[in-house]
Amino acid sequence: MDEGRRQMGWNADTKALPYVFRIYEDEKSCGDKIRDCDVLILGWTGQDKDSPSERLIRQRLDQGKPVIRVSERIYREGRWKAISPRGLKAKFEEHIKYRNSPVYMLCAGAYVSGDFKLIGAYPGKLFKWGYFPPLKRYSEDELSNMLYKDGEKLRICFAARLIKLKHPELSLEVAGYLKKKNIDFHLDIVGDGPLSSGLKEMIKDKALEEYVTMHGAVPPEKVRGIMEKSHLFIFASNYLEGWGAVVNEAMNSACAVVASSEAGAVPYLIKDGENGLTFDDCDKDKLLGKIDELLEEADKKNGSYMVRADYVRSLQKKAYLAIADTWNAGVAAKRLLEFSECIIKNKDFKNPDDGPLSKALVLKAPGIRRTLKEDNHLE
C-alpha cells in the first residue's frame, strides 16, 4: 500500500489477520489450500506465469476444479487492444482456454463483461460484482435528519484524489452554475493531488471563495462524516476508473449522487432519475443538464431558482436503500456462498434480478478509443 494511503489512515498491516496466508512464506500450506479447496476465488495475482502461485492455479484449472475469478476491465484503455496477437495469446492462456470449464467471472465493474465477451471468454458465466466498503446503517430519525430540508443550504461534496481522471474541476463548474442560479449552497472538496493549486486558482477566478472549502487529504472516517452532512455528491471520473468505491460510500451516506457513467460502479449502482443521476462522456454541459433536473424556477420575473426538495430527498433515500438492501458485503457474501454451493453440487443457480451475482449484461464501453467495429460488436 502506498504511503499516501497510509497517511490517510488506511491500515495495510495483515500480520494480525489469522485467515491471511502468504505463499512466499509457506508454499506447501498455501499450495494445499489452492489444490484442495472446494472453490478457489481468484483476484489479481500479478505474478509471473512460472511463479509458485500461478503454477498451482494452472494445475487446478487443468484438473477442472471449480474456480471463481474476480476482475476489473482488461481493456480499460480501449478494446482495440484485443487485436494484439501477443495480448490475445496471454488472454487465451488465462481466460479463453477454460471457457467450457467450471470457471466463472465476477465482473467488478459494468464494462468488464463486454471486455470478456469480446474475446469469447466465460460464455453465460459473467456476473455482477464490485467493491463493498463497510456498510453503515442509520435509524429512521438519523436518516430523516440527513435528508435535504426545504429552504436549507444545499450541501455538496466531491471526494477523490485531485488528479485528471477524477475531473475535480467539474465540481467547480457545478458550483459556478449554482451561484449564477442564486442557489444557497456550499461545496466541500476532499482530497489532495497535483491539481490542487489549479483548483484554488479556479475558485478565485470564479469568485467562489465563500462557497467552497478545500479540505485536503483527511482520514476515511472524516470523509464519511462530511458525506453524511451532504445532500449531493459529484462523481466525475472517466473510463480509467475501474470501480469507484466512493460512490458506494456516498450513497450509503444518503447522498444524491450525480455521477459519470464511465466509471465501473455507476451503471451497477445508480438508476438514472431513481436513486441518483448519471451523465455521459465526463461532459460539463451534460453534467449541468443533470443539475438542472434538481432545480425549478422560483420566480420567472427575476429568473431565480430553487432546489426541488422532494425530488432530492427521494434520490437521497433511494440511494441509501440501494446500498443498505442490496449492494453491500453481507448480501454479496450470502449470495456467493449460495452460488458456491450450486457449483459444488452441480446445480443451477437462480440469479437475482439485481445486485451481486445477477447477470452482467454487455454494455457499450466508454472512452475516446472506441471504434465503430467495437460499437457494432456490442450493439
Side-chain angles (χ1 to χ4, degrees):
M1 188 174 291
D2 63 71
E3 187 58 31
R5 291 190 181 273
R6 290 177 190 271
Q7 291 176 1
M8 289 170 61
W10 296 99
N11 181 11
D13 181 20
T14 61
K15 292 288 185 183
L17 300 176
Y19 52 84
V20 174
F21 294 79
R22 300 165 184 80
I23 196 165
Y24 53 84
E25 292 179 354
D26 187 353
E27 184 175 331
K28 183 182 184 308
S29 176
C30 291
D32 291 342
K33 288 175 172 57
I34 290 171
R35 277 189 297 269
D36 301 334
C37 62
D38 294 315
V39 177
L40 176 67
I41 302 176
L42 287 177
W44 297 269
T45 53
Q47 298 280 353
D48 180 88
K49 63 184 179 65
D50 294 321
S51 67
S53 58
E54 289 298 311
R55 191 168 61 250
L56 288 163
I57 289 165
R58 281 203 309 275
Q59 287 174 4
R60 184 181 176 93
L61 288 165
D62 290 338
Q63 290 167 3
K65 293 182 177 180
V67 172
I68 299 174
R69 285 188 177 272
V70 184
S71 180
E72 288 189 11
R73 294 195 64 187
I74 54 174
Y75 297 122
R76 190 180 303 182
E77 296 183 4
R79 287 179 180 156
W80 57 271
K81 288 192 172 184
I83 65 174
S84 161
R86 182 178 177 184
L88 201 55
K89 183 178 184 300
K91 297 297 183 291
F92 176 83
E93 290 296 327
E94 191 173 3
H95 302 291
I96 306 168
K97 181 178 179 180
Y98 304 101
R99 68 193 306 273
N100 295 320
S101 300
V103 185
Y104 308 83
M105 175 56 70
L106 303 185
C107 302
Y111 305 105
V112 176
S113 54
D115 285 3
F116 284 111
K117 184 176 180 181
L118 187 64
I119 60 173
Y122 310 104
K125 297 183 289 185
L126 295 160
F127 306 104
K128 291 183 182 180
W129 199 246
Y131 292 88
F132 306 97
L135 172 67
K136 293 183 72 172
R137 294 194 182 274
Y138 304 97
S139 68
E140 283 293 326
D141 287 344
E142 289 172 326
L143 187 59
S144 177
N145 288 332
M146 294 162 73
L147 303 182
Y148 179 76
K149 310 296 188 300
D150 294 44
E152 186 180 4
K153 185 188 293 289
L154 184 67
R155 302 289 310 197
I156 307 169
C157 180
F158 177 93
R161 287 176 293 155
L162 304 183
I163 57 178
K164 286 183 179 180
L165 78 86
K166 308 283 186 179
H167 287 288
E169 76 284 355
L170 289 179
S171 67
L172 293 180
E173 295 290 354
V174 170
Y177 189 69
L178 291 175
K179 180 186 174 186
K180 288 178 183 176
K181 297 281 187 179
N182 294 314
I183 299 295
D184 185 20
F185 77 95
H186 191 85
L187 168 64
D188 292 292
I189 296 179
V190 183
D192 202 358
L195 300 185
S196 179
S197 59
L199 293 172
K200 290 175 182 176
E201 287 299 318
M202 192 173 173
I203 290 169
K204 287 182 183 178
D205 292 343
K206 290 180 175 288
L208 292 170
E209 290 92 340
E210 65 178 284
Y211 299 93
V212 179
T213 300
M214 291 190 67
H215 294 266
V218 300
E221 61 273 13
K222 186 174 179 182
V223 178
R224 285 299 292 262
I226 294 171
M227 287 179 179
E228 289 168 346
K229 292 179 174 63
S230 301
H231 311 111
L232 210 63
F233 189 90
I234 306 298
F235 179 79
S237 294
N238 67 19
Y239 60 94
L240 294 175
E241 184 80 75
W243 180 257
V246 71
V247 177
N248 305 59
E249 294 173 326
M251 293 175 72
N252 184 202
S253 302
C255 291
V257 180
V258 185
S260 161
S261 61
E262 295 195 359
V266 174
Y268 279 0
L269 301 183
I270 299 181
K271 295 174 181 166
D272 185 47
E274 182 178 328
N275 63 1
L277 297 171
T278 65
F279 64 99
D280 297 332
D281 306 319
C282 291
D283 182 85
K284 179 187 79 171
D285 292 333
K286 291 178 180 178
L287 168 57
L288 297 182
K290 289 297 177 178
I291 297 300
D292 271 336
E293 293 182 22
L294 302 173
L295 309 176
E296 60 186 348
E297 204 165 28
D299 189 334
K300 290 186 178 181
K301 289 183 179 179
N302 62 24
S304 62
Y305 289 80
M306 61 188 293
V307 176
R308 293 175 60 194
D310 286 342
Y311 186 44
V312 171
R313 283 193 290 269
S314 175
L315 293 175
Q316 286 182 267
K317 189 165 187 178
K318 288 177 180 177
Y320 169 74
L321 291 175
I323 303 301
D325 293 346
T326 305
W327 279 101
N328 61 69
V331 170
K334 181 176 182 293
R335 291 180 180 179
L336 184 60
L337 287 171
E338 292 171 354
F339 182 55
S340 298
E341 287 285 346
C342 289
I343 292 172
I344 294 166
K345 296 176 180 178
N346 199 25
K347 292 169 56 180
D348 288 336
F349 175 72
K350 188 174 188 264
N351 297 96
D353 294 331
D354 189 26
L357 267 301
S358 58
K359 290 184 178 179
L361 301 177
V362 173
L363 302 182
K364 184 183 289 186
I368 58 173
R369 295 181 177 87
R370 282 202 304 264
T371 66
L372 182 61
K373 181 179 179 182
E374 172 190 326
D375 288 349
N376 289 335
H377 179 81
L378 299 175
E379 195 91 65

